[in-house]
Amino acid sequence: MSVTAQHNSVDTSVAQPSAVEPRADFGDVRAEFQALVSSSGVYERSLRAKIALTGSDRVRWLNGMVTNNIRDLEPGRGVYAFLLNPQGHILGDLYAYNRGESLLVDTDQAQVEKILAVFDKYIIMDDVEIANISDQWSAIGITGLKSREALQAAGFGVPELKPLQLVEITWQQTTVTLVRGDNPQVKSFALWLSPGDTERVYEALTKAGAKPVGTTALELLRIAAGIPRYGVDIRERDLPQETEQECALNFSKGCYVGQEIVERIRSRGRVRRKFTGFEIAGPLPAGGSKIQVGGKEVGEITSAASLPAAEGERRLALGYIRREVAIPGKQVEAGGSAGSVTNLPFAEMFK
């Protein structure tokens, strides 16, 4: 399959520092994690990049580049997707939103240069223009059972939104894009806004009761929810079906880069490995630690953390394991510690 383009306009501007800098924590990681689960936690999101796609062929072109359905994406809606190489391996992950006159790609700052380079490679003859607009946007996240109430208390009108639905709202004469998150375990929203408005919006949310949280608590939430992170849990050597992220795949959209491999896996049966969770009984294994059953290597750990729970700290990990031993309760050994296979997400962390 070839994807071509007529306009090759790729702007690789670097995002400017936000007025509210991210921090590892605010002194009490346990309380911050609990806020993200049971009340509301607010945090800066400068580590997310924004890429705008314009031009009359933007929808058809991006639909031919990623694993999910862009062609039928309604205005104001988004999808999660992978970007693959022709061999079906994962080059990156992203969210794509239909903003009416443009498409917007949201991804980690760590991935943006690679994604722009891949996009640029395939733009030859279509009417598509791509620009890194990260310097034009800032973002604030708010997560937790009472996140909607905190937004409303801060003066934001919050309509009923489906996951990955966005809407423009006005707050104190300022236009803000409100985006509903897609974590099925806990309600979350993102506010996309001008960098100059970040600080006052952040302060308004904290005054409304949202607890400031740092990157450490957010990482604990990610692991508890069983969400893989590109560059840590998802690597270029991994195949889409191994990640268990079926929400990133659409099997009826037609041709895209790497589609032949994805379809071959689907038609011939499942892959040999799967992404899953582990409960660890001893010291936490480091990322990259091999998983063994009966002295035989069957997988590897990709992420691990000690999470605060009502009964005390729980040592949890994410990783890949061969499917034949991916049985909940199956005893394993990783990094010198005993453990057991556990379904994802770790749902009891959200009760």
Side-chain angles (χ1 to χ4, degrees), residues 304-326:
S306 182
L307 276 77
E311 66 274 16
E313 297 294 308
R314 290 186 62 190
R315 298 178 181 90
L316 305 177
L318 307 175
Y320 293 87
I321 193 169
R322 292 186 66 89
R323 285 187 175 271
E324 64 266 26
V325 291

Side-chain angles (χ1 to χ4, degrees), residues 71-83:
R71 179 193 61 209
D72 299 323
L73 191 58
E74 298 176 1
R77 302 300 298 270
V79 291
Y80 176 64
F82 292 137
L83 182 68

Side-chain angles (χ1 to χ4, degrees), residues 227-248:
I227 299 172
R229 179 180 175 186
Y230 191 83
V232 177
D233 309 285
I234 302 175
R235 294 72 48 93
E236 191 168 329
R237 66 179 182 268
D238 299 319
L239 295 167
Q241 284 97 326
E242 291 177 328
T243 71
E244 295 290 297
Q245 303 306 298
E246 293 293 324
C247 61

Side-chain angles (χ1 to χ4, degrees), residues 144-162:
L145 186 65
K146 299 179 180 179
S147 53
R148 180 187 178 92
E149 288 82 351
L151 283 165
Q152 291 173 327
F156 290 91
V158 185
E160 289 295 332
L161 298 175
K162 296 179 180 179

Side-chain angles (χ1 to χ4, degrees), residues 11-53:
D11 177 0
T12 58
S13 303
V14 177
Q16 299 299 310
S18 168
V20 183
E21 295 297 332
R23 292 171 52 173
D25 63 76
F26 290 81
D28 190 342
V29 173
R30 172 183 282 270
E32 293 170 35
F33 175 77
Q34 291 302 327
L36 290 168
V37 173
S38 59
S39 55
S40 61
V42 62
Y43 45 95
E44 193 271 353
R45 300 190 75 201
S46 67
L47 297 180
R48 300 298 295 180
K50 304 287 188 293
I51 302 170
L53 282 73

